[in-house]
Amino acid sequence: MIRLDNISKQNGHQILFIDASMGIQKGEKVGLVGPNGAGKTTLFRMMAREDQPDDGQVSNDAGMTIGYFSQDVGEMSGLSAVAAVMDGVGPVSALAAEMATLEAAMVDPDQADDMDAVIERYGEVQGRFQELDGYALEARAREVLAGLSFSQERMDGDVGLLSGGWKMRVALARILLMRPDAMLLDEPSNHLDLESLIWLEAFLKGYEGALLMTSHDREFMNRIVGKIVEIDGGSLTTYSGNYDFYEQQRALNEAQRQAQFERQQAMLAKEIKFIERFKARASHAAQVQSRVKKLDKIERVEPPKRRQYVQFEFRSPPRSGDDVANFRNVHKGYGSQPIYTGLDFKVRRKERWCVLGANGAGKSTLLKMVAGETEPDQGTVTVGSNIRMGYFAQHSMDLLDGDDTIFESLDESFPQAGQGALKSLAGCFGFSGDDVEKPCRVLSGGEKARLVMAKMLFDPPNFLVLDEPTNHLDMATKEMLVAALSEFEGTMLFVSHDRHFLAALSNRVLELTPDGVHEFGGGYTEYVARTGQEAPGLHPGG
């Protein structure tokens, strides 16, 4: 289907691949993993023929179609979301756009004189549209967009007015509607809410072509792929199994390699000791010579390349009162759209509430009211005594000063902390060595999120309010965060679409549905077991 044979690729001074090979067959679903900057996107671009290897060959079956979804969404405007999605499928979208123009002309009194020509052209265009099965295609485009949480209004609105996250979904829908022979999906799970994520998972499971994808969502990866390709140090290694299997296998290989390295080191030390001891004695000259030759011939075992993960440890936050937050008879709406009507809800010390609900159900609004960023229309939201709140939202990242370096940003927040403490804090959140000298303006979304999180957790609050904290984080940082927050002694109220994060950290669930607000004692795992669904509004098992 698609093969890479002995490819080498250099990017500036950085060598990404050296004699690397891999292949994907029809029907295979493969996850691509590797540290940031290892070359995952370059690999996708070579497969999609947007880039060439310096050496080696990329080949695929004759006539096969490839759909490539990347984070780099091009300019989109002037079309409705549904037309933009159909636009990826060829001439059908041009015909749909012309039909819309002609339909507008038919009801325009200024064009009455040309009506015969307009109607005749409309007949031709509509005939061709039907021949190409255009009506079925539009229905399918709407189905895909609905799966990705688009309302009818949003589907028919100008795609140019959508935020970056929604444009990403349009670009993804375009590839899904194409149903190409092979899909290359670079982080398709970014920017998706839980409902869209679960829908996409089902879609990809049912897709019969070849799939290569990256994702920072462990659960999503586990459920879809049956094979992992790892990029590490310029080579590609294939593991058969899902992400969990790959991690176990990698740890096992690392342990075996370490043992092998240590055995060889012990043997070398013994030989060198013998040579040193007897090299001056003529009686042992032959033995010493033969051992020196033997040492020269031995192929040295390299120690395993260890990924450096520094664990973050919380200081103990100050103890809060037992009542952490209290909503009494809260009403809140936007325009004529009510979101909460008479909400009563209490958060008590050490509870960890995850808030679930479809798009627009009011998850972020709830968190904003607790954080005092927005007021209820009616009723009260009060925060208890001795509460120190840490609030993380997507806009927190816009508050960083672009001219500050990472280190300066930390130093301004904690002038008393001392260089060593701040450097080790930066290291915990993935900024090592010279990284701390990067100015904030050049940081990626993930780097900004890590910096904001580091600033929030260093001097820990006792009440964490987190809105999608894992949105831009890679798998390793998420694991570190989950491990750190598991040890957190305070109270949490959070929204996340990452099921691993939800399951590991929640002990209560607040479910927002059109029928009202439901509370579940027990965390996300118990919620799934009791309701038979992974998110509100999905049918059991769906």
Side-chain angles (χ1 to χ4, degrees):
M1 199 75 178
I2 304 181
R3 275 214 60 77
L4 271 63
D5 290 303
N6 303 322
I7 59 156
S8 296
K9 180 76 177 171
Q10 194 163 340
N11 200 349
H13 293 300
Q14 191 190 8
I15 294 169
L16 294 176
F17 300 102
I18 309 164
D19 282 339
S21 300
M22 67 168 282
I24 312 175
Q25 300 309 316
K26 182 174 166 54
E28 275 191 327
K29 296 183 169 68
V30 183
L32 182 64
V33 301
N36 280 340
K40 297 190 287 286
T41 299
T42 304
L43 190 80
F44 279 128
R45 287 173 53 80
M46 287 192 288
M47 285 186 167
R49 301 301 169 109
E50 289 184 9
D51 201 348
Q52 297 294 322
D54 300 335
D55 206 4
Q57 198 175 12
V58 179
S59 52
N60 46 33
D61 293 355
M64 75 175 284
T65 52
I66 294 180
Y68 171 40
F69 167 76
S70 76
Q71 295 293 301
D72 187 14
V73 176
E75 190 41 55
M76 293 183 190
S77 63
L79 293 173
S80 68
V82 83
V85 169
M86 289 163 65
D87 202 24
V89 189
V92 173
S93 56
L95 294 168
E98 192 177 350
M99 275 165 62
T101 308
L102 293 165
E103 282 162 10
M106 285 183 205
V107 293
D108 182 356
D110 294 344
Q111 301 211 30
D113 297 347
D114 303 323
M115 200 50 70
D116 289 348
V118 168
I119 290 169
E120 187 183 341
R121 178 65 186 152
Y122 186 76
E124 290 166 15
V125 173
Q126 191 183 35
R128 183 75 186 118
F129 186 72
Q130 274 171 323
E131 265 172 50
L132 292 173
D133 212 9
Y135 289 109
L137 187 71
E138 182 172 337
R140 272 179 45 219
R142 287 183 183 277
E143 196 182 315
V144 169
L145 286 169
L148 295 174
S149 298
F150 276 74
S151 61
Q152 290 299 328
E153 195 182 342
R154 203 171 244 146
M155 286 181 204
D156 293 317
D158 182 348
V159 72
L161 302 176
L162 296 175
S163 69
W166 286 98
K167 281 182 179 162
M168 288 272 187
R169 295 185 195 210
V170 170
L172 178 59
R174 202 181 256 185
I175 307 292
L176 302 182
L177 184 68
M178 257 174 84
R179 286 202 177 242
D181 299 322
M183 278 198 231
L184 309 175
L185 305 181
D186 194 356
E187 291 294 347
S189 52
N190 266 7
H191 301 285
L192 295 186
D193 52 77
L194 192 52
E195 288 74 14
S196 306
L197 202 59
I198 291 164
W199 177 86
L200 179 60
E201 196 173 275
F203 185 98
L204 293 177
K205 278 183 186 165
Y207 167 65
E208 289 170 6
L211 171 68
L212 178 71
M213 68 171 203
T214 57
S215 174
H216 292 325
D217 189 313
R218 183 190 196 104
E219 200 57 44
F220 182 70
M221 190 86 112
N222 268 336
R223 294 179 187 207
I224 294 170
V225 307
K227 190 164 145 181
I228 294 280
V229 171
E230 180 191 49
I231 305 180
D232 198 7
S235 61
L236 295 168
T237 312
T238 302
Y239 295 80
S240 54
N242 66 7
Y243 186 81
D244 282 351
F245 174 81
Y246 147 75
E247 262 204 335
Q248 290 157 9
Q249 201 56 43
R250 191 178 196 284
L252 198 66
N253 293 356
E254 214 167 75
Q256 285 170 347
R257 186 92 169 269
Q258 184 67 28
Q260 212 181 343
F261 171 71
E262 285 168 7
R263 278 198 303 275
Q264 191 184 62
Q265 289 299 307
M267 182 272 291
L268 292 174
K270 204 165 143 190
E271 293 292 322
I272 289 165
K273 197 173 173 186
F274 179 91
I275 293 165
E276 288 299 317
R277 191 169 160 199
F278 295 111
K279 68 180 176 190
R281 296 191 193 178
S283 58
H284 287 72
Q287 276 175 292
V288 167
Q289 271 312 103
S290 93
R291 291 199 181 201
V292 168
K293 278 182 186 164
K294 182 180 152 190
L295 281 192
D296 285 344
K297 283 184 186 160
I298 286 175
E299 196 172 321
R300 300 290 199 264
V301 175
E302 291 288 321
K305 284 187 289 252
R306 294 202 174 276
R307 303 249 171 109
Q308 290 304 310
Y309 299 136
V310 190
Q311 207 46 56
F312 178 75
E313 286 180 13
F314 271 100
R315 302 177 189 175
S316 288
R319 189 194 152 112
S320 71
D322 287 338
D323 289 333
V324 175
N326 198 353
F327 289 69
R328 282 202 195 92
N329 191 29
V330 166
H331 292 252
K332 180 73 181 170
Y334 289 105
S336 59
Q337 184 67 41
I339 294 177
Y340 293 108
T341 48
L343 170 68
D344 289 311
F345 168 55
K346 242 188 194 139
V347 178
R348 296 181 65 78
R349 192 170 76 86
K350 289 212 166 184
E351 289 179 341
R352 296 157 168 242
W353 288 90
C354 71
V355 185
L356 300 179
N359 252 322
K363 301 187 294 291
S364 293
T365 304
L366 184 93
L367 269 50
K368 281 179 183 163
M369 287 194 285
V370 169
E373 295 239 328
T374 188
E375 295 291 321
D377 299 337
Q378 201 182 315
T380 58
V381 179
T382 52
V383 171
S385 58
N386 300 325
I387 297 296
R388 241 176 63 201
M389 189 188 302
Y391 174 52
F392 177 89
Q394 295 308 303
H395 72 261
S396 316
M397 301 188 291
D398 303 334
L399 306 176
L400 295 168
D401 184 332
D403 293 331
D404 281 350
T405 65
I406 290 172
F407 186 79
E408 285 166 351
S409 188
L410 291 172
D411 194 37
E412 271 170 35
S413 299
F414 310 110
Q416 260 73 56
Q419 282 219 1
L422 293 183
K423 285 204 167 147
S424 77
L425 170 68
C428 288
F429 284 85
F431 301 113
S432 54
D434 295 341
D435 285 349
V436 295
E437 297 309 323
K438 275 189 190 172
C440 291
R441 87 170 80 76
V442 305
L443 301 182
S444 67
E447 288 171 322
K448 284 181 180 168
R450 297 202 310 261
L451 177 55
V452 170
M453 206 78 73
K455 290 171 82 155
M456 186 170 74
L457 300 181
F458 182 63
D459 187 10
N462 49 28
F463 182 31
L464 286 176
V465 179
L466 309 175
D467 194 356
E468 295 286 7
T470 61
N471 235 4
H472 298 274
L473 302 183
D474 61 27
M475 210 99 78
T477 312
K478 271 190 208 179
E479 291 299 329
M480 184 279 287
L481 193 60
V482 167
L485 292 176
S486 302
E487 303 295 315
F488 175 62
E489 293 167 15
T491 307
M492 284 171 67
L493 176 68
F494 64 94
V495 172
S496 174
H497 63 245
D498 188 295
R499 285 162 292 180
H500 178 57
F501 191 86
L502 289 167
L505 296 173
S506 59
N507 59 22
R508 299 277 189 285
V509 175
L510 187 72
E511 181 192 54
L512 313 179
T513 73
D515 311 329
V517 176
H518 311 290
E519 295 183 16
F520 293 82
Y524 178 72
T525 308
E526 290 88 337
Y527 165 82
V528 174
R530 281 173 62 185
T531 61
Q533 60 187 24
E534 293 192 292
L538 292 174
H539 303 299

